[in-house]
Amino acid sequence: MKLVVALVAGMVAVAAAASQHAAPSQPDPSGPRTAASGPSRASAAPLTVSDLGNWMDPFMRDTLSKGRIAGGQVVVVKDGRTLFQRGYGYADLAAKRPMDPTRSQMRIGSTSKLFTWTAVMQLVEAGKIDLNADVNRYLDFRITPPGNRPVTMADLMTHRGGFEEGLKDVLATDPKKLKTMERYLKENRRPFMFPPGEVPSYSNYGTTLAGYIVQRVSGEPFETYVQRHILTPLQMRHTTLAQPLPPPFARTAAKGYRTTEDAPSPFELVGTGPAGQVSTTAGDMANFMIAHLADGSFGNAAILRPETVRLMHSPSLMVRDGFDTLAHGFFHGRRNGRVLLSHGGDTVVFHSDLNLLPQEGVGIFVSFNSRGEDDAVYPARERLLELFLDRYYPVAASRTPPAIPSAAADAKAIAGRYESSRRVETGFISLFYLLQQDQVTANPDGTIAVSSISDKTFREIAPKLWREVGGARQLLATEVEGRRAIIDSNNPVQILQAAPLSRNGSVFQLVAGLSLSVLIVTGIAWPITAIVRRVRQRAPGVTGQAARVRRATRIAVIANLAYFAGWCMLLAPILRADVGFYNDSLDGFIRVLQIGALIPLAGAVLGAWNSLMAFRSGEGWFARIASLIVALALIGFLWAAWMAGFIGWSVNY
């Protein structure tokens, strides 16, 4: 049983890795625990170079040291100029090359999307793209969603295209394995999980589709378009979309690390290019932020008209007060009473975050070249923004309103397992999403906790509205597509949906764990029993057809374990966050495993047949019960294989 527990624990670790690595980047839109609105009443520090240095320098040095992060870059802009930029730690640990915010290129992951959305808005401004038109108008292949509602560019910009998540060909380290954008989109089409325009589900595929539309509409390769129309006007001379890096950039680029104790990771090639392919410096990102804060202008150049910038920065969707939304690609919310436009980005080893305060004319960008020990970069990145806002734009602490009378009963009603709308339901990657479901817990004091929102509890302050105790974050209980759902005020790109019994992760782990336990014990016990029987010269318990069926059932048990081991070999690289492992070269092995689905199917039939014959043969109750347990384990394993996505015929995952 311990072996099975270890296997299940390993799978949960895989699921956590998949959650963070299954795409070249995934923004973490959770904001600081501060008041959502209200005038500044606390004393603000002066936003000056000296004060930024006095605060930022010790924070960054302490963050790098404690988190075992190799290096980082920070830049702050204000009123159309770069106010502060500094590098910390190392761009190359072995060579002791310091991090240079003007020369050390960093991979910025999904923060790259802002360049794609800026390019889209340029073409909207030119009348070449209609945000509300069917995207098929601009494509040379068809997107066919369920129902009559087409996918629009506006849907792609708000991550409401309806696509499932995907892993295959998302990252690579070998340039020969990197597909062109066109090949990726056509060969790795993602199934639809939701009708377009209805449910938020963060999608790198959708952003890549938008980049392909930019390429087709403009008549220029996507990388060339961004270079000519964004990077060159903004004088971003140390920025490139090229993969791999051109030699001049390769010599100056920062190396990426898991932690300071590890060797540098290979350069990450992003298959979903428009969703995460930019390499840049903090100094260059300052120019990008200045342009967005100055109505599209930088010096004598303009990348967008003022009215287009205002449109781009305005909410694309109206939401409940206090809840974040999307603004034509930007995350749009309020922190410390200020409008905040933001976008984070992650590859496996590089992590960045861009935040704009448009009403204050201020922007801050940070980038790290390590994941850090125990994923230290994620809380560090959030903490940096939280402290920046509290220092320079503070507000008085908010007070959580009292709970409504039905809070305790409502907490019990909302408790249970939930799955993110950003998930996979087809293919073997769906296993990870079964294992990483959220657990909503009702606490004895009537508050609730959500497993993915650590160290926070929520109190029901109005019917179906829960607010963070001591903070501003809110959860709204609602219904989506006939299922109970939870909307997080800080996360506009996904929701939580109550997991039905058929997809309940706890049920899956229980059935899979017990089934594997029985099969492992049986696989070990039967050979031992046979040896003991032979040594003691005992006659077999059954003969004839019953004996043959029993022998076949034993073979099926071993075959099922071998089949499971094959899938473990395929899934193991995710434990190392080796996302680049998953590409077309695995298709043959996956096909073999898919054909191998005949093994659990045959095993379930043989197990049931063997148990039936045991009950009919007049054997002792021990033998009958043992055969029944084995039969149930084989049937349970078949069900688990089906739920895990092991049974199917698609190599698109």
Side-chain angles (χ1 to χ4, degrees):
M1 186 64 180
K2 288 184 178 180
L3 177 59
V4 176
V5 172
L7 285 169
V8 172
M11 287 180 181
V12 173
V14 169
S19 172
Q20 294 166 350
H21 308 311
S25 55
Q26 177 174 351
D28 189 342
S30 58
R33 200 175 73 176
T34 52
S37 61
S40 176
R41 292 187 291 272
S43 177
L47 184 56
T48 62
V49 175
S50 59
D51 193 81
L52 278 164
N54 291 337
W55 164 65
M56 188 76 72
D57 289 354
F59 173 85
M60 288 295 290
R61 289 168 185 153
D62 187 59
T63 294
L64 299 188
S65 175
K66 290 182 178 179
R68 297 192 177 183
I69 296 169
Q73 302 179 11
V74 179
V75 64
V76 177
V77 301
K78 186 176 190 299
D79 297 333
R81 64 185 182 91
T82 298
L83 180 65
F84 175 93
Q85 65 177 8
R86 206 159 286 182
Y88 300 90
Y90 294 103
D92 185 332
L93 285 170
K96 298 298 181 185
R97 175 161 56 92
M99 185 69 76
D100 184 340
T102 64
R103 288 175 54 82
S104 303
Q105 288 87 4
M106 308 274 267
R107 304 291 272 158
I108 63 170
S110 269
T111 308
S112 305
K113 288 180 172 69
L114 295 179
F115 292 87
T116 301
W117 302 132
T118 299
V120 167
M121 294 306 292
Q122 287 178 332
L123 294 170
V124 169
E125 182 179 277
K128 296 182 178 181
I129 291 178
D130 181 344
L131 292 177
N132 298 309
D134 185 341
V135 294
N136 287 312
R137 175 190 296 184
Y138 310 111
L139 297 173
D140 58 347
F141 66 101
R142 291 199 63 79
I143 299 294
T144 54
N148 298 320
R149 164 76 152 75
V151 176
T152 67
M153 181 63 76
D155 294 331
L156 301 182
M157 299 182 91
T158 56
H159 295 281
R160 280 168 169 75
F163 302 109
E164 276 193 17
E165 183 59 281
L167 178 67
K168 185 179 181 181
D169 291 319
V170 164
L171 281 180
T173 55
D174 182 355
K176 295 178 182 177
K177 300 288 178 62
L178 182 66
K179 293 181 177 180
T180 65
M181 177 168 51
E182 180 178 358
R183 277 193 62 202
Y184 173 81
L185 288 169
K186 293 179 178 179
E187 296 177 10
N188 298 70
R189 299 192 192 193
R190 300 310 305 141
F192 280 91
M193 183 175 293
F194 306 106
E198 294 188 8
V199 180
S201 178
Y202 190 81
S203 176
N204 290 299
Y205 185 88
T207 307
T208 307
L209 197 64
Y212 186 55
I213 290 172
V214 168
Q215 178 170 288
R216 286 185 51 78
V217 168
S218 69
E220 300 178 73
F222 176 75
E223 294 79 6
T224 303
Y225 180 91
V226 173
Q227 179 67 55
R228 288 187 62 235
H229 297 274
I230 300 176
L231 304 185
T232 298
L234 297 184
Q235 301 178 30
M236 299 178 70
R237 299 185 180 93
H238 294 90
T239 302
T240 182
L241 279 69
Q243 301 184 106
L245 290 174
F249 290 91
R251 288 192 290 269
T252 58
K255 297 183 183 297
Y257 303 86
R258 301 298 178 96
T259 74
T260 53
E261 308 302 311
D262 299 308
S265 297
F267 184 81
E268 298 162 306
L269 304 164
V270 180
T272 53
Q277 74 188 98
V278 172
S279 298
T280 188
T281 64
D284 274 12
M285 289 303 292
N287 298 359
F288 183 77
M289 290 192 293
I290 288 170
H292 268 281
L293 290 167
D295 286 338
S297 295
F298 179 79
N300 295 324
I303 58 171
L304 290 169
R305 296 174 190 156
E307 60 269 24
T308 307
V309 174
R310 288 193 289 271
L311 172 63
M312 186 174 184
H313 293 179
S314 64
S316 307
L317 300 163
M318 301 309 296
V319 294
R320 189 184 183 114
D321 185 45
F323 280 70
D324 289 358
T325 184
L326 273 299
H328 300 87
F330 279 97
F331 287 76
H332 183 289
R334 296 187 71 87
R335 300 291 185 273
N336 286 26
R338 271 89 178 170
V339 172
L340 185 73
L341 298 173
S342 61
H343 211 301
D346 307 278
T347 66
V348 174
V349 291
F350 285 94
H351 308 272
S352 66
D353 200 23
L354 178 148
N355 291 277
L356 303 178
L357 298 166
Q359 295 171 345
E360 285 71 31
V362 170
I364 178 171
F365 172 82
V366 62
S367 187
F368 297 94
N369 66 338
S370 305
R371 190 173 194 83
E373 186 174 47
D374 298 325
D375 296 341
V377 72
Y378 294 106
R381 186 174 59 181
E382 293 178 21
R383 184 67 174 157
L384 175 63
L385 176 63
E386 179 181 347
L387 292 176
F388 178 84
L389 291 170
D390 285 349
R391 184 176 186 85
Y392 300 110
Y393 302 99
V395 292
S398 61
R399 180 176 297 175
T400 309
I404 63 175
S406 62
D410 293 343
K412 293 178 181 178
I414 200 175
R417 294 191 72 91
Y418 289 76
E419 55 186 355
S420 168
S421 58
R422 184 189 183 183
R423 64 181 186 269
V424 174
E425 287 191 356
T426 55
F428 63 91
I429 300 301
S430 64
L431 168 65
F432 308 141
Y433 294 87
L434 276 174
L435 294 172
Q436 70 173 4
Q437 290 174 352
D438 258 300
Q439 180 71 45
V440 176
T441 305
N443 299 319
D445 63 355
T447 62
I448 62 171
V450 182
S451 57
S452 63
I453 307 176
S454 59
D455 303 323
K456 289 178 172 61
T457 57
F458 295 83
R459 177 187 300 161
E460 190 177 22
I461 61 171
K464 300 184 178 181
L465 182 66
W466 304 76
R467 181 163 173 169
E468 177 192 350
V469 176
R473 195 168 185 171
Q474 299 180 88
L475 303 175
L476 178 66
T478 185
E479 187 173 289
V480 175
E481 296 196 327
R483 293 164 60 182
R484 189 169 69 248
I486 295 175
I487 300 174
D488 180 354
S489 67
N490 284 15
N491 193 338
V493 293
Q494 64 183 37
I495 62 171
L496 295 177
Q497 293 180 288
L501 185 63
S502 60
R503 283 187 55 82
N504 187 289
S506 296
V507 174
F508 173 82
Q509 291 182 46
L510 178 64
V511 173
L514 289 176
S515 298
L516 277 171
S517 296
V518 171
L519 295 185
I520 291 169
V521 170
T522 301
I524 295 171
W526 271 341
I528 295 174
T529 303
I531 293 171
V532 170
R533 187 184 299 276
R534 179 169 297 181
V535 169
R536 295 184 178 180
Q537 297 182 338
R538 291 182 178 176
V542 292
T543 58
Q545 185 184 46
R548 290 191 294 273
V549 172
R550 179 165 298 181
R551 190 178 305 114
T553 303
R554 292 173 178 176
I555 293 171
V557 168
I558 303 302
N560 270 269
L561 293 174
Y563 170 78
F564 177 68
W567 280 108
C568 286
M569 290 174 58
L570 182 64
L571 300 172
I574 296 185
L575 283 172
R576 307 186 298 271
D578 185 6
V579 181
F581 178 78
Y582 298 94
N583 52 58
D584 288 349
S585 65
L586 295 177
D587 289 358
F589 183 54
I590 294 172
R591 282 284 186 236
V592 170
L593 290 175
Q594 289 173 336
I595 294 171
L598 294 171
I599 292 172
L601 179 60
V605 173
L606 285 168
W609 189 5
N610 179 61
S611 181
L612 180 63
M613 296 193 74
F615 275 84
R616 287 180 173 177
S617 66
E619 287 191 86
W621 278 106
F622 179 82
R624 295 182 189 183
I625 293 173
S627 69
L628 179 60
I629 291 173
V630 171
L632 291 175
L634 288 166
I635 294 170
F637 184 83
L638 173 64
W639 176 83
W642 173 263
M643 291 304 301
F646 293 173
I647 298 175
W649 197 245
S650 174
V651 291
N652 184 13
Y653 48 88

